[in-house]
């Protein structure tokens, strides 16, 4: 996987790291690399416009954690739990709790999901969680995804151009918050 990284020194709590991911495949690959440093109890908050790559990144995390079920946007069900599958050696890693907070009206509705019961045993990824999910854990990764907007080219003048959700370089800004992330070099994921 390739990507550009900026930011001085080693990553410490609250220092931002910025990377560029040229397409959806490298976004998934980055998610898989990120899964390598995640452990049970970790919270990842994803922020970005529609189509920025939040679910794509989560798909990479889920694949690398070896969880059950297809990781898809939980927009209409709000939260989806993916239990861990056995590894070749018979052990299991953490499960994945994938939350879409877009339609939640506040912290009370997030609390009603009863995520506390799975936070300690799973990696929890909350899409659209900025300003809401921070209350779930003092230690977390806050990841902002940006992707340029615009239509994919079309060669048929009678067909309106459609945006390709797989195309476009994503600018990803990662901010580690809390002592859990002290000493974790997020640049090494590249």
């Amino acid at each position: 996987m390739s990507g550009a990284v900026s930011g001085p020194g080693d990553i410490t709590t609250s220092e931002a790291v910025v990377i560029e991911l040229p397409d959806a495949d490298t976004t998934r690959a980055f998610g898989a690399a990120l899964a390598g440093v995640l452990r049970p109890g970790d919270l990842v908050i994803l922020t970005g416009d529609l189509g920025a790559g939040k679910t794509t990144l989560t798909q990479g995390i889920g694949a690398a954690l070896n969880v059950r079920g297809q990781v898809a946007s939980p927009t209409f069900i709000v939260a989806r739990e993916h239990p861990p599958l056995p590894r070749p050696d018979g052990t299991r890693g953490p499960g994945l709790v994938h939350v879409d907070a877009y339609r939640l009206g506040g912290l009370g509705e997030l609390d009603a999901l009863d995520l506390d019961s799975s936070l300690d045993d799973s990696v929890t990824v909350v899409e659209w969680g900025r300003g809401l999910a921070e209350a779930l854990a003092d230690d977390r990764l806050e990841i902002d995804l940006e992707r340029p907007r615009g239509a994919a080219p079309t060669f048929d003048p009678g067909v309106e151009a459609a945006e390709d959700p797989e195309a476009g370089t994503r600018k990803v800004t990662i901010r580690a918050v809390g002592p859990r992330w002290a000493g974790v070099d997020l640049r090494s994921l590249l």
Side-chain angles (χ1 to χ4, degrees):
M1 173 177 52
S2 66
V5 179
S6 66
D10 292 338
I11 185 72
T12 59
T13 302
S14 298
E15 181 181 336
V17 172
V18 179
I19 62 173
E20 289 185 357
L21 304 171
D23 56 28
D25 288 338
T26 54
T27 303
R28 279 186 203 93
F30 177 72
L34 181 60
V37 298
L38 295 173
R39 60 186 187 205
D42 283 343
L43 173 65
V44 180
I45 300 173
L46 302 179
T47 303
D49 291 335
L50 288 172
K54 298 178 297 295
T55 299
T56 303
L57 181 76
T58 307
Q59 288 169 341
I61 293 170
L65 291 178
N66 194 35
V67 297
R68 177 174 294 135
Q70 177 184 357
V71 175
S73 178
T75 299
F76 296 105
I77 61 168
V78 182
R80 179 176 285 139
E81 289 190 46
H82 298 274
L85 294 169
R87 297 175 178 147
D89 66 2
T91 63
R92 292 177 192 260
L96 173 66
V97 176
H98 187 195
V99 179
D100 186 327
Y102 184 76
R103 288 181 170 72
L104 297 180
L107 186 57
E109 289 184 28
L110 184 62
D111 278 343
L113 296 176
D114 197 27
L115 296 175
D116 295 338
S117 63
S118 57
L119 278 176
D120 291 338
D121 300 326
S122 300
V123 170
T124 302
V125 176
V126 182
E127 296 187 23
W128 303 97
R130 179 185 287 148
L132 185 65
E134 295 88 351
L136 293 173
D138 292 335
D139 297 298
R140 61 189 175 273
L141 289 180
E142 297 174 352
I143 302 178
D144 293 342
L145 295 99
E146 298 175 50
R147 185 170 66 98
R149 307 316 267 157
T154 181
F155 301 103
D156 184 344
V159 176
E160 192 173 313
E163 190 168 325
D164 179 358
E166 297 288 308
T169 298
R170 279 100 169 138
K171 177 183 169 189
V172 180
T173 304
I174 308 161
R175 186 168 167 247
V177 177
R180 154 43 181 133
W181 297 102
V184 176
D185 183 6
L186 296 174
R187 284 183 191 76
S188 68
L189 302 177
L190 299 174

